[in-house]
């Protein structure tokens, strides 16, 4: 078990060093990819919740989730997430 933890922390350290070596443009591209991926994931989760619990329950769940995002990351981050989700939905024609 100790070896696993050492391996895991050395892998984390290697990743951190690799991220530190990225240019600012590369870091911005990674951040953009992360934000787009997060928006797609929330769309997927919302659709799943709609199938499982119905539209009303899914909407209530989403409002609570968005409120949690505001508490943790601020209104600007929540607005950006909603904007990205709406853009992805409009691009996919839904």
């Amino acid at each position: 078990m100790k070896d696993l933890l050492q391996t895991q922390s050395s892998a984390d350290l290697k990743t951190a060093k690799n991220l530190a070596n990225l240019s600012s443009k590369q870091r911005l591209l990674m951040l953009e990819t992360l934000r787009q991926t997060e928006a797609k994931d929330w769309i997927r989760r919302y659709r799943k919740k709609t199938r499982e619990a119905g539209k009303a329950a899914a909407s209530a769940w989403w409002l609570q989730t968005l409120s949690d995002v505001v508490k943790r990351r601020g209104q600007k981050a929540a607005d950006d997430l909603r904007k990205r989700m709406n853009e992805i939905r409009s691009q996919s024609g839904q």
Side-chain angles (χ1 to χ4, degrees), residues 43 47 86 88-94:
I43 290 170
R47 287 177 181 157
N86 288 333
I88 291 167
R89 284 185 20 213
S90 68
Q91 288 172 357
S92 66
Q94 296 180 2

Side-chain angles (χ1 to χ4, degrees), residues 12-45:
D12 292 341
L13 183 59
K14 186 176 180 181
T15 300
K17 286 181 181 178
N18 288 339
L19 290 174
N21 291 331
L22 294 176
S23 70
S24 60
K25 184 176 180 177
Q26 289 171 315
R27 284 193 299 269
L28 287 173
L29 287 172
M30 283 184 70
L31 186 56
E32 180 67 19
T33 300
L34 177 71
R35 289 178 176 157
Q36 286 296 107
T37 302
E38 179 189 26
K40 289 176 186 177
D41 188 54
W42 281 116
I43 290 170
R44 181 190 57 77
R45 290 179 188 195

